[in-house]
Amino acid sequence: MPKLIFPFLLLCLLVTSLAAQKNVLERIIRQEQATFGDWAAKPEQFEIQVLYTQIDRDENGVPTFTTHRWGADPNRYFYPASTVKMPAAFLAMEKLNELGIAGLDAHAAMHNYAGRSPQTAALADTSSATGLASVAHYARKIFLVSDNDAFNRLYEFLGQRYFNERLRAKGLTDTRIIHRLSVSGFDTLGNRYTNPVAFYGDEGLLYQQGERYSRWYDDLGLSQQLRGKGYINSEDETVLEPFDFSYKNYVSTQDLHDIVKAFIFPNAVAPNERFNISTADREWLLRAMLQYPQESDFPRYGEGDNYVKFWLYGDQDEETTQIPEHIRILNKVGWAYGFLTDAAYIVDLEAGVEFILVGTIHTNANQIYNDGEYEYKSQALPFFGELGRAIYEHELKRKRRYPADLTPLKNLLETETQD
């Protein structure tokens, strides 16, 4: 071996070791691995991606961010499921704001009409205080219980091309959102057509847009879009060939992280990366994200504290789990096809702790899609619970020169929600 190679190899090992020491996320996983489930020893098998961002404030409350990654790769496909509802809620508010029509806001009565089959109309929402549908009420349902119809109605208002072009303009380039969720009859072409939509105020019609056809498709150069060895088709038949995700939605873990950061900390990102919404709309959305389902009067839900809250509590019993009032998880989860994902800003209102945590895991041992046999409870939810709690405990112990002042979030929780 040439004399220069051995010192070079030692240097590479030293650099790698120092990098690992600086990656707090890797260190936490390594230190706690003996108490973690299979996911910690076999992250590649479960296709795990995690981004953990520490937040530190200066004496004026201005935040700085330090992000640690584990397996995160924007070029590796995973199905984002309901996480796509988060940018839909933000962009629907933004679109209304930028229309600039007097009297048109997020609480205006929203009517989705049926333009063609298999589109359906939505002219009311009995779960709201007024009995009317609105962008504001759909957004609440999205964050409280991940309502599928609420997303579909906002998707129809946005339109496929507008939805994606607005995200691309914000620098979210590893994303494509091209179909409705959990509704039968819509193929690739059908999802390009979006329903006629109108908004009404006390004096009548405020705004209307007709049925629209818009096309957006970008394969993003992703790997692993053909997955597994088989799937169950719409005729309930087993097809023994890989399942094709090429025309399915996608949002990378980095883009999910950046969406959370841009919404929670708009002043910490460039102006073009922010969501252009009013202060009142932002507070409405924050309140919906802060609340647990049973804290809502409109809509009224009976789900437990940890419903759609994977980090920290996803592996806990749904009927008995009580999350302390001072812990709040402002997030959006997704689960489908064996993929579970959670993008969250997590706070402890008493301890002044705050951090961003985004992760995804894939469980499908038999490699058959659409058969309903995924290891959510045995493998996926323990990943979110175990890692989430470990990071939270680390955050509690982590020294901060200036604890976060989370009073604005506390005040929002104490404000009554009105439709």
Side-chain angles (χ1 to χ4, degrees):
M1 179 181 292
K3 292 182 179 180
L4 292 177
I5 292 181
F6 187 68
F8 176 74
L9 291 175
L10 286 177
L11 178 61
C12 289
L13 289 172
L14 177 60
V15 170
T16 301
S17 176
L18 289 173
Q21 291 176 22
K22 290 181 179 179
N23 191 323
V24 176
L25 178 58
E26 288 187 6
R27 188 166 72 242
I28 291 171
I29 294 170
R30 186 170 60 249
Q31 290 173 346
E32 303 293 334
Q33 189 168 348
T35 66
F36 288 159
D38 293 343
W39 63 267
K42 306 171 185 177
E44 288 299 322
Q45 175 181 323
F46 295 103
E47 304 174 32
I48 292 173
Q49 301 184 48
V50 184
L51 286 85
Y52 158 45
T53 294
Q54 297 174 320
I55 303 168
D56 293 281
R57 305 269 186 164
D58 65 13
E59 64 273 21
N60 298 314
V62 177
T64 57
F65 305 87
T66 305
T67 299
H68 306 277
R69 296 169 174 81
W70 195 56
D73 182 354
N75 297 311
R76 184 170 62 178
Y77 183 83
F78 68 92
Y79 183 66
S82 293
T83 59
V84 300
K85 299 171 186 175
M86 177 168 56
F90 299 160
L91 285 179
M93 294 268 193
E94 179 176 277
K95 182 174 179 177
L96 285 176
N97 189 40
E98 294 187 342
L99 284 170
I101 298 172
L104 177 60
D105 61 23
H107 300 275
M110 180 178 181
H111 288 189
N112 292 51
Y113 301 100
R116 65 178 60 220
S117 179
Q119 294 177 9
T120 59
L123 308 180
D125 191 329
T126 57
S127 69
S128 73
T130 61
L132 302 175
S134 68
V135 167
H137 193 66
Y138 283 142
R140 274 187 62 75
K141 294 168 74 171
I142 280 173
F143 289 113
L144 284 166
V145 295
S146 194
D147 189 279
N148 287 322
D149 182 69
F151 165 78
N152 293 337
R153 299 311 178 179
L154 298 187
Y155 174 90
E156 290 161 2
F157 169 51
L158 292 169
Q160 192 181 92
R161 177 168 288 278
Y162 177 90
F163 199 160
N164 288 275
E165 286 182 343
R166 292 303 299 163
L167 293 174
R168 184 63 59 91
K170 296 180 188 301
L172 303 165
T173 57
D174 295 311
T175 293
R176 65 169 186 244
I177 303 176
I178 54 177
H179 62 79
R180 297 167 175 85
L181 297 177
S182 298
V183 60
S184 62
F186 288 96
D187 56 13
T188 300
L189 179 62
N191 279 306
R192 294 174 184 164
Y193 286 95
T194 48
N195 308 36
V197 178
F199 292 89
Y200 295 86
D202 293 338
E203 303 302 320
L205 180 67
L206 294 169
Y207 171 77
Q208 64 181 348
Q209 64 182 39
E211 181 189 52
R212 291 185 174 177
Y213 173 86
S214 62
R215 182 181 186 276
W216 178 277
Y217 177 74
D218 189 340
D219 66 13
L220 303 175
L222 299 170
S223 63
Q224 296 181 311
Q225 293 186 85
L226 292 174
R227 307 299 292 271
K229 63 182 183 182
Y231 61 92
I232 308 298
N233 65 17
S234 58
E235 284 75 41
D236 204 29
E237 301 168 335
T238 301
V239 180
L240 293 178
E241 59 184 49
F243 189 67
D244 189 0
F245 285 90
S246 300
Y247 280 87
K248 294 289 188 182
N249 293 333
Y250 176 64
V251 186
S252 70
T253 51
Q254 183 67 61
D255 279 3
L256 284 172
H257 171 279
D258 293 347
I259 289 168
V260 172
K261 180 181 176 183
F263 176 71
I264 301 294
F265 299 98
N267 294 329
V269 302
N272 67 293
E273 296 174 356
R274 301 170 189 166
F275 293 95
N276 181 18
I277 59 180
S278 68
T279 299
D281 286 345
R282 183 170 180 273
E283 290 179 349
W284 176 271
L285 291 165
L286 282 170
R287 192 179 299 109
M289 298 174 81
L290 280 163
Q291 288 184 317
Y292 296 117
Q294 72 277 12
E295 295 176 326
S296 171
D297 289 326
F298 298 100
R300 191 69 179 171
Y301 297 112
E303 283 82 358
D305 283 17
N306 64 338
Y307 188 71
V308 298
K309 305 295 181 185
F310 292 167
W311 290 121
L312 281 76
Y313 299 101
D315 57 346
Q316 306 299 298
D317 183 85
E318 292 181 5
E319 295 184 0
T320 61
T321 298
Q322 289 187 314
I323 301 177
E325 288 190 7
H326 58 89
I327 294 179
R328 297 287 159 164
I329 302 171
L330 292 77
N331 73 319
K332 189 69 208 71
V333 304
W335 70 97
Y337 297 116
F339 297 92
L340 262 70
T341 306
D342 195 349
Y345 168 64
I346 301 172
V347 296
D348 184 324
L349 299 173
E350 290 183 356
V353 165
E354 58 178 342
F355 57 99
I356 297 172
L357 192 55
V358 177
T360 188
I361 184 172
H362 183 216
T363 61
N364 188 14
N366 67 11
Q367 299 187 58
I368 303 294
Y369 290 95
N370 283 338
D371 64 353
E373 296 183 19
Y374 308 113
E375 297 72 43
Y376 290 145
K377 288 189 176 181
S378 63
Q379 299 287 357
L381 290 172
F383 154 70
F384 288 103
E386 292 165 0
L387 183 57
R389 289 189 292 272
I391 291 174
Y392 171 66
E393 290 299 324
H394 175 79
E395 284 284 324
L396 284 176
K397 298 172 185 175
R398 191 167 72 85
K399 292 183 179 179
R400 289 173 171 78
R401 188 173 182 183
Y402 302 99
D405 180 7
L406 301 174
T407 303
L409 295 182
K410 294 179 186 177
N411 292 340
L412 284 174
L413 273 172
E414 296 170 358
T415 304
E416 185 178 357
T417 299
Q418 297 289 341
D419 272 305

